[in-house]
Every structure is written in structure tokens, then in C-alpha cells.
Amino acid sequence: MTRHLPTRSGQRAAILVLLAALMVATRSHLPALLTHLGPIPDASWAVFFMAGFYLRSWSRWAFPLFMALAIGVDYVVITGQGVDFWAHYCVSAAYWCLVPAYLALWAGGSLTARLSQQLSDHRTLVVAGLALVASVALCHLVSQGSFYWISDSVSQPTLAGWAKNYGDWFLPFLRSTAIYVGLGVIVHVGLAQVARLARAQERTAG
């Protein structure tokens, strides 16, 4: 897979725009507002993982850009409901722990790209799967743990209560993230096959 990673700035820019659009649409629940499909799972976790994979060389400025975009979407959605952003249920001191939480996902994607440069496509998929599970587990640990222990939403936090909450939400978050990443893999493989066939036809024609 990494043999087919974008090498041109234009290709990376296109991926950046597509991933940003996916996050904005799902994080703001835009499809549910425009159609009758119902709520669509937030793709933010998958977006940060895939962006880390495809935009690894741009991480210094691309990660802050995606982070600012996520916060901006939250601000627009919350204030659009007539609620003070800083008084919202989800916005507390724990909210800023989303930065290291999302960074874990970005690092998982970036590490996959780096480690798989010399691997076959099949082994790259194995590495990607392991990295995805590990980074989602760490992201969930930071985001859910900070919300449970730091915010005022839980009046009497306990270790047992935290562990149960972590377990209850881990698989749903992993499932939705894996679905989006899996769809991304399908698109990636499909485009790579099209490019390979196009090159083969050019050689035949030449």
C-alpha cells in the first residue's frame, strides 16, 4: 500500500481536502440534516488515523489544522443550538485532552506508513489493523478517561465505574472507526489497481 502513497503535493492536498470534508460532514451530522438517512457515525477518529498515514510528511502543520477544524466544527454546532460553547456538557477541562487523544490516532497512521514501507501489501494491512486497534484504545483511554475523571459530569467517579464505561464504549468506537478506515482501504486499493492498469496500457500502446 505504501508503494502507492501520494508523492505529489497536489495528490496530498486532494486527500487533505477529502478527509477534512468527511470530518466536517460527519462531525456536524450534516448528512442527517440533508437526508432522511438518520445519524451517521462521526468519522473524526478514522480521519485522524488516515491523515496520519497519508499526510505523514505534513504532520507539523496538518495535525494542528485538523485539530483546529475539529474544534471549529464543535463550536459552530454547539453555538448553533443557542448554547454557550464553554457551558456545554462536553466542553470542560477534559475537552482539551482531545489533542493528545487525536494525536495518538495520527501517530498510529503515521507509524503504519513508516513501518510498512518495506512490507508487502498484505503485511501492511496487518500492521495497519494492529496500529488501528492500539491507537483507538489509547485515544479512547485519554478522551474517555479525562472526561470521566476531570469533568464534573460524573459526581462520584470510581475505578470500577471508569472501567465499565471504558468497556461499554470501546467496541462501538472501534467498530465505527474500523468501518471508515476499511472503506478508505477499499478506495485506496481500487485506485491503485486503476493506476496499475493505466500504466500497463501505456506500456502496451508504446
Side-chain angles (χ1 to χ4, degrees):
M1 288 177 62
T2 50
R3 293 192 298 276
H4 310 295
L5 284 176
T7 56
R8 299 177 181 176
S9 296
Q11 294 173 325
R12 292 196 191 99
I15 292 174
L16 185 150
V17 171
L18 289 174
L19 290 177
L22 176 62
M23 183 167 69
V24 170
T26 58
R27 195 178 182 94
S28 61
H29 306 294
L30 186 59
L33 296 175
L34 299 178
T35 70
H36 300 289
L37 296 176
I40 295 178
D42 183 2
S44 296
W45 288 27
V47 165
F48 274 92
F49 183 86
M50 289 188 289
F53 182 81
Y54 288 109
L55 307 176
R56 177 171 170 256
S57 62
W58 286 359
S59 293
R60 180 173 298 181
W61 62 267
F63 174 77
L65 176 65
F66 275 86
M67 198 69 240
L69 182 61
I71 296 172
V73 170
D74 290 347
Y75 181 85
V76 171
V77 171
I78 291 173
T79 57
Q81 298 171 347
V83 179
D84 180 11
F85 179 75
W86 302 107
H88 192 267
Y89 172 80
C90 293
V91 181
S92 65
Y95 180 79
W96 304 110
C97 290
L98 288 179
V99 175
Y102 288 167
L103 183 59
L105 293 164
W106 189 286
S110 180
L111 183 64
T112 299
R114 183 172 68 86
L115 293 180
S116 60
Q117 288 176 353
Q118 306 300 324
L119 298 178
S120 65
D121 288 350
H122 291 90
R123 290 185 178 181
T124 295
L125 288 175
V126 173
V127 170
L130 294 174
L132 179 65
V133 173
S135 57
V136 166
L138 182 56
C139 175
H140 187 45
L141 178 67
V142 175
S143 60
Q144 177 269 345
S146 61
F147 184 80
Y148 186 89
W149 293 106
I150 299 176
S151 72
D152 297 327
S153 300
V154 182
S155 57
Q156 295 181 331
T158 63
L159 188 60
W162 163 78
K164 182 179 186 307
N165 186 268
Y166 183 93
D168 288 344
W169 288 100
F170 175 68
L171 286 180
F173 276 117
L174 178 61
R175 180 171 59 247
S176 61
T177 303
I179 288 173
Y180 280 117
V181 172
L183 291 174
V185 170
I186 292 173
V187 172
H188 179 114
V189 172
L191 292 177
Q193 290 293 336
V194 170
R196 186 180 293 113
L197 290 175
R199 289 194 297 269
Q201 290 178 351
E202 289 177 359
R203 288 194 295 269
T204 301

